[in-house]
Amino acid sequence: MSTAGPDPSDLDRIANAALARVDSGMLLGLGTGRASEAFIRRLGERVRRGLQIKGVATSERSAELARRENIPMVSLEEVERFHVAVDGADEVAPDLGLIKGLGGALLRERVVAYEAAEFIILVTPEKLVEKLGSRVPIPVEVVPFASTTAARHLTALGGKPSIRKNADGYPFQTDNHNWILDTAFGPMDAPAAVDARIRKIPGVVDNGLFLDMATLVLVAEAGAVRELTRQR
């Protein structure tokens, strides 16, 4: 997978488009990844100019950035419902199905998104695909104890799992102290069926298929922002 990032001006453009949907008094879910970090920085600028919001971050990295931006943060225990959650995605299908989790925060991202009235996704055009699984594997978060057996069952489902590792060669550990099996399935005709089968594997905590969750996708392209909404 390429490590080259999107154009920062594209990220700023979609971050500002998302900010247009934020008003004082809101509780916000703050995602993880490059697009989310661009949003957090723009949000920090607005907060310093008087916008009154509170946020919950989906990762320690995003929480640290939000604190540096002087964004008031609260714990999830203090929140019953978010007005808006803003996050990125690794793939977006035409029905707004998503693959998320290359940043390693998929479980917390799902928890926050599930509690949000509106779930806004920020992407650049290369993330748009006809079928999920076309560009990236599905991250599968597992408890370390079950990594070997989970990998065997994922292989039986037709996947090609690989333990995500740090630069030092040790397994990457999520903020929840779990491991991730990046599992390639290729382009999927029925991602909901794949999702259901993955969830039945003992030791699997979550996976990166976010289906029927996004309410709006903002795409930076050609110097503008395109809005994609889910057809109901």
Side-chain angles (χ1 to χ4, degrees), residues 18 21-22 26-32 36 39 54-58 81-88 98 100 108-122 210 213-218:
R21 297 172 178 270
V22 174
M26 283 187 170
L27 287 169
L28 303 180
L30 306 178
T32 297
S36 298
F39 175 76
K54 293 180 180 179
V56 172
T58 58
R81 189 73 167 153
F82 295 97
H83 294 92
V84 179
V86 178
D87 211 336
L98 314 172
K100 291 178 51 55
R108 295 190 186 190
E109 288 172 338
R110 188 185 302 277
V111 170
V112 169
Y114 189 79
E115 301 300 333
E118 187 174 13
F119 184 32
I120 299 176
I121 297 296
L122 312 181
F210 281 49
M213 295 187 71
T215 54
L216 174 68
V217 174
L218 299 176

Side-chain angles (χ1 to χ4, degrees), residues 128-191:
L128 304 180
V129 297
E130 285 301 314
K131 294 181 179 181
L132 294 179
S134 297
R135 296 180 68 251
V136 300
I138 301 172
V140 180
E141 186 165 344
V142 298
V143 296
F145 174 78
S147 60
T148 301
T149 54
R152 185 170 69 244
H153 291 300
L154 289 166
T155 300
L157 293 181
K160 297 179 180 179
S162 175
I163 293 179
R164 187 180 301 183
K165 294 183 178 179
N166 295 314
D168 58 11
Y170 289 97
F172 169 87
Q173 192 171 79
T174 71
D175 287 341
N176 312 304
H177 307 293
N178 296 318
W179 292 359
I180 289 180
L181 296 172
D182 287 312
T183 307
F185 282 91
M188 291 174 286
D189 292 319

Side-chain angles (χ1 to χ4, degrees), residues 85-109:
V86 178
D87 211 336
D90 303 302
E91 286 188 354
V92 180
D95 65 355
L96 303 197
L98 314 172
I99 288 181
K100 291 178 51 55
L102 293 191
L106 60 153
L107 176 58
R108 295 190 186 190
E109 288 172 338

